[in-house]
């Protein structure tokens, strides 16, 4: 290969670029990113950066002396891929021809229909999003977070610490039931009530009140929740629209094998936009976590450079963490594959728990709340068992 194009300049794209150099690729390397910023760390955006305890320089993912010998095309949006020619078409009308392509375009925050142009309504995905939200949180007032997932919960926790009046609205009966299961999802989401943050579950949002600026969140049951500021945290969609017509299989992201290879030779996909095949479960799934974006590009790059000749290994069980109200939450594995969950250490009421998820008696996932040492031990056992 003489030229490899990495489309996406966040963690997954940077990890792929690093892996290319580490695995011996010494040709032309082009990294394309639609944001103007150099690669930065996203997890602190909803926590330390939003709280003002971390600055923008602290978010940098590259070290001062790092040189990947790459051409960085930042502030440049990819709008199409000519699969057979391996040509990435850019918004300015130009294109980048390559022998190999790494797709790492990530995901974008979902929005509420009809809220465009209404001041005081935010999503949180990018550094620019976090800047705008941080400035408004500094003014105080009443915050309503729509969505009780991890990003929404972290924003609520940060805003509570900043002194805002916070309400979380979640359409599902139990927040976090998807990633954690209903039982432990209820335990983790009880952190809101522990700190006086209102949690309204089992009710959807009908719309937002206000003419130029939001002043209320209107619920489907007829209630109205006053709001000076709204954060919409209702998940993310993979950024794959630009790949329409490329010949790639696009379902919930770019469909890949167990090593990131797509149906087009010389094209792999990594990060939040990639739906990798999971041999254990027999299905494709996206892993939207920092660890996956950091680790999986190694396997995808190996497959790209070997032309598919390398035998893919099994990826490690997905892992993610969250910090809410001073509690460190860690999770590894897939809760959906479990038929039971048991607390092995601690007590749910104390928010100090080590819980193990099992299927037919075998561990498939583990959750820790302020149990870092025991969690680490179980995570290693989980990887070995898998």
């Amino acid at each position: 290969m003489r030229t490899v194009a990495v489309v996406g300049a966040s963690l997954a794209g940077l990890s792929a670029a690093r892996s290319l150099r580490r695995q011996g690729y010494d040709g032309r390397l082009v990294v394309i990113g639609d944001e103007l910023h150099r690669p930065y760390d996203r997890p602190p955006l909803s926590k330390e950066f939003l709280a003002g305890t971390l600055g923008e320089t602290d978010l940098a993912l590259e070290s001062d002396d790092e040189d990947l010998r790459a051409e960085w095309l930042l502030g440049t949006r990819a709008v199409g891929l000519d699969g057979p020619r391996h040509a990435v078409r850019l918004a300015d009308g130009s294109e980048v021809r390559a022998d190999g392509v790494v797709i790492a375009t990530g995901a974008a925050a979902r929005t509420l229909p009809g809220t465009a142009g209404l001041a005081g309504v935010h999503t949180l995905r990018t550094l620019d999003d976090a800047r705008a939200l941080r400035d408004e949180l500094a003014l105080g007032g009443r915050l309503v977070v729509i969505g009780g997932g991890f990003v929404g919960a972290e924003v609520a926790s940060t805003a509570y610490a900043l002194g805002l009046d916070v309400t979380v609205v979640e359409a599902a009966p139990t927040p976090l039931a998807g990633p954690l299961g209903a039982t432990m999802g209820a335990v983790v989401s009880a952190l809101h009530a522990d700190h006086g943050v209102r949690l309204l579950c089992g009710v959807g949002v009908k719309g937002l009140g206000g003419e130029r600026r939001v002043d209320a969140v209107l619920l489907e049951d007829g209630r109205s929740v006053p709001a000076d500021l709204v954060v919409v945290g209702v998940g993310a969609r993979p950024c794959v629209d630009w790949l329409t017509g490329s010949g790639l299989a696009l379902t919930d992201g770019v469909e890949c094998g167990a090593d990131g290879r797509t149906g087009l030779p010389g094209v792999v996909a990594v990060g939040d936009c990639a739906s990798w095949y999971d041999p254990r479960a027999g299905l494709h799934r996206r892993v939207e976590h920092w660890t996956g974006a950091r680790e999986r590009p190694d396997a995808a790059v190996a497959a790209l450079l070997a032309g598919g000749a390398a035998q893919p290994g099994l990826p490690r069980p997905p892992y993610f963490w969250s910090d809410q109200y001073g509690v460190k939450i860690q999770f590894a594995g897939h809760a959906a594959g479990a038929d039971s969950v048991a607390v092995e250490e601690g007590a749910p009421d104390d928010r100090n728990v080590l819980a193990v998820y099992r299927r037919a008696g075998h561990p498939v996932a583990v959750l820790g709340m302020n149990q870092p040492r025991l969690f680490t031990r179980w995570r290693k056992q989980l990887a070995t068992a898998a």
Side-chain angles (χ1 to χ4, degrees):
M1 289 189 176
R2 295 185 177 181
T3 300
V4 173
V6 177
V7 189
S10 193
L11 175 61
L14 176 62
S15 298
R18 285 171 168 166
S19 189
L20 281 160
R21 294 307 190 201
R22 192 166 54 246
Q23 295 189 40
Y25 174 71
D26 60 1
R28 181 186 179 217
L29 176 58
V30 183
V31 183
I32 302 164
D34 62 352
E35 292 187 63
L36 288 170
H37 311 293
R38 300 286 292 197
Y40 58 88
D41 208 15
R42 294 184 190 273
L45 295 183
S46 57
K47 301 184 283 287
E48 298 94 341
F49 181 81
L50 208 57
T53 58
L54 278 185
E56 293 187 18
T57 56
D58 300 311
L59 301 177
L61 288 172
E62 300 166 279
S63 59
D64 292 339
D65 59 351
E66 185 170 14
D67 182 12
L68 293 172
R69 307 187 313 280
E71 300 173 33
W72 293 85
L73 303 182
L74 300 178
T76 304
R77 184 166 55 91
V79 297
L81 173 65
D82 185 328
R85 296 173 56 239
H86 289 167
V88 180
R89 296 193 298 273
L90 306 179
D92 62 6
S94 63
E95 68 177 22
V96 175
R97 291 283 300 275
D99 304 297
V101 177
V102 179
I103 298 170
T105 42
R110 297 186 185 277
T111 58
L112 285 183
T115 61
L118 190 61
V121 180
H122 297 261
T123 57
L124 181 57
R125 186 76 185 183
T126 68
L127 176 56
D128 292 336
D129 293 339
R131 286 171 172 170
L133 178 57
R134 184 180 62 179
D135 290 345
E136 292 222 58
L137 287 177
L139 302 176
R142 299 163 298 182
L143 167 68
V144 177
V145 179
I146 301 174
F150 283 106
V151 171
E154 289 171 358
V155 170
S157 171
T158 302
Y160 161 80
L162 292 172
L164 279 79
D165 178 274
V166 184
T167 300
V168 178
V169 179
E170 170 57 51
T174 304
L176 303 173
L180 302 182
T183 300
M184 299 313 299
V187 172
V188 173
S189 59
L191 287 167
H192 295 302
D194 291 347
H195 293 82
V197 171
R198 290 178 296 278
L199 177 60
L200 306 179
C201 295
V203 59
V205 172
K206 183 179 180 180
L208 302 182
E211 295 184 3
R212 295 184 179 179
R213 183 179 181 86
V214 66
D215 59 22
V217 175
L218 311 177
L219 306 183
E220 290 181 341
D221 62 6
R223 285 180 290 175
S224 176
V225 183
D228 303 303
L229 185 62
V230 170
V231 173
V232 179
V234 292
R237 55 175 181 80
C239 296
V240 296
D241 291 348
W242 69 282
L243 295 168
T244 301
S246 64
L248 293 170
L250 306 175
T251 50
D252 180 30
V254 181
E255 282 199 4
C256 307
D259 55 2
R261 281 186 293 154
T262 70
L264 291 177
V267 179
V268 298
V270 296
D272 291 1
C273 69
S275 181
W276 280 36
Y277 181 72
D278 185 339
R280 303 184 191 96
L283 49 79
H284 288 83
R285 50 177 144 209
R286 289 192 303 121
V287 175
E288 297 181 82
H289 305 309
W290 188 96
T291 308
R294 171 62 186 86
E295 295 177 348
R296 291 192 169 190
D298 286 344
V301 164
L304 180 67
L305 296 179
Q311 184 67 27
L314 289 175
R316 296 177 65 187
Y319 162 73
F320 63 87
W321 75 93
S322 178
D323 295 299
Q324 301 174 28
Y325 305 102
V327 175
K328 187 171 189 63
I329 301 159
Q330 296 170 285
F331 187 85
H334 293 287
D339 54 29
S340 69
V341 58
V343 174
E344 306 278 331
E345 188 74 28
D349 289 346
D350 296 335
R351 316 302 179 217
N352 188 324
V353 167
L354 192 289
V356 179
Y357 299 70
R358 292 180 172 85
R359 181 178 181 85
H362 299 285
V364 295
V366 59
L367 167 70
M369 297 179 69
N370 280 345
Q371 291 278 356
R373 181 176 299 179
L374 196 53
F375 175 87
T376 300
R377 188 185 310 161
W378 267 100
R379 185 187 175 199
K380 291 178 180 177
Q381 292 181 27
L382 190 68
T384 302

